[in-house]
Amino acid sequence: MNNQTAADIKNPDLVAAMQAMQKRNDSETLSRMAAALVNSRLLSPILKQTVLTEKSGPSTRIKFEDIEDTKGEKYYLAFTDLDEYEKWNQEGTHNEALIMTLEDFGNILIRNINDLKGFVINPYGENVSISKSLLLSLLKQHEAKRQNAHKGN
């Protein structure tokens, strides 16, 4: 595990791939975006809450921030870099984020029983939504490639 900070998170390949996909939405640009996404590390804002319990004392709970689209559907937030994060955090009221991978988003979306539809990357920039079903598909494809790579060695 490397000790990256939020300032270290930059995803120029993912940003370029999302922009290319928005200009020409076809299998080639989607595939390029998916490949970039699998290798990306994204910033996801969180809220920390301290919960006091009689038996175990204080513990910290993490709640991921979400955003609602025009249809009323909720998505977790993901940002490619601090500049995109700041577009959302203009008032400066949010100062904590986790560095997340595609697998991390998969784990929280699959485990959490909630009404969130997926996550959205750069909602005030490229605004690309990744649904739960697309996320699961990408993770399965990535795992299959990883398995095949191990078989080849």
Side-chain angles (χ1 to χ4, degrees):
M1 192 96 175
N2 55 14
N3 292 330
Q4 286 185 307
T5 66
D8 297 330
I9 301 301
K10 308 254 190 261
N11 292 284
D13 292 344
L14 177 58
V15 172
M18 289 188 301
Q19 291 170 348
M21 186 207 62
Q22 290 176 325
K23 288 178 187 161
R24 196 181 82 238
N25 190 345
D26 60 22
S27 60
E28 181 186 323
T29 57
L30 279 171
S31 179
R32 188 171 143 218
M33 187 193 79
L37 184 56
V38 165
N39 296 315
S40 295
R41 298 174 69 76
L42 301 165
L43 298 172
S44 188
I46 59 168
L47 288 174
K48 284 186 178 177
Q49 300 170 317
T50 301
V51 180
L52 293 174
T53 58
E54 235 176 87
K55 290 182 181 174
S56 58
S59 64
T60 302
R61 284 193 183 152
I62 293 174
K63 178 188 180 298
F64 287 87
E65 294 278 3
D66 58 54
I67 193 168
E68 201 170 298
D69 69 9
T70 55
K71 298 178 204 159
E73 295 178 334
K74 292 181 180 178
Y75 293 84
Y76 286 120
L77 293 161
F79 300 96
T80 55
D81 53 56
L82 271 179
D83 290 341
E84 287 296 326
Y85 182 91
E86 291 305 324
K87 289 179 186 177
W88 169 77
N89 189 30
Q90 286 185 346
E91 284 131 36
T93 54
H94 301 274
N95 61 0
E96 293 193 74
L98 292 180
I99 298 171
M100 305 277 288
T101 64
L102 190 66
E103 288 179 5
D104 295 331
F105 279 108
N107 288 333
I108 62 169
L109 283 163
I110 293 164
R111 282 195 195 130
N112 284 352
I113 309 297
N114 58 37
D115 59 350
L116 274 79
K117 300 296 180 188
F119 67 98
V120 62
I121 305 168
N122 296 349
Y124 297 98
E126 289 75 25
N127 194 27
V128 173
S129 298
I130 307 296
S131 67
K132 280 185 188 180
S133 58
L134 177 57
L135 176 60
L136 290 174
S137 174
L138 291 172
L139 289 171
K140 284 179 185 172
Q141 290 171 31
H142 179 61
E143 184 59 30
K145 284 180 185 174
R146 209 169 25 203
Q147 296 285 330
N148 288 337
H150 286 304
K151 288 178 186 173
N153 290 339

